[in-house]
Amino acid sequence: MILKCTNCGNTFKIEIYPSDGEGVTCPICRADYKAVTKNGKVKLKDYIYENEDFEELSE
Ligand SMILES: [Zn+2]
């Protein structure tokens, strides 16, 4: 399914339908969102970090 990133305005495709409350990351700008599912549709909510200085993920 196709989701739109409200941060960079890009659309991106995800393979797996997210469950409610699941985290979704934009592959373009790496913005983190929380997926909210309702009536078969998925909306992205700005992800709220509990801690501001979270550790960066190293790859
Ligand atoms: Zn983005």
Side-chain angles (χ1 to χ4, degrees):
M1 74 183 312
I2 305 292
L3 294 175
K4 185 174 184 179
C5 175
T6 54
N7 184 50
C8 67
N10 238 309
T11 53
F12 57 98
K13 189 181 175 187
I14 55 170
E15 304 293 335
I16 302 164
Y17 191 92
S19 53
D20 193 46
E22 193 178 324
V24 177
T25 304
C26 173
I28 311 296
C29 68
R30 297 283 174 187
D32 286 317
Y33 293 97
K34 207 172 196 179
V36 178
T37 59
K38 201 176 185 182
N39 301 325
K41 290 181 179 178
V42 178
K43 277 192 171 183
L44 295 181
K45 265 192 151 184
D46 285 337
Y47 194 91
I48 301 164
Y49 291 102
E50 291 182 4
N51 194 341
E52 279 188 14
D53 54 1
F54 58 94
E55 282 184 307
E56 285 190 16
L57 295 174
S58 55
E59 289 181 30

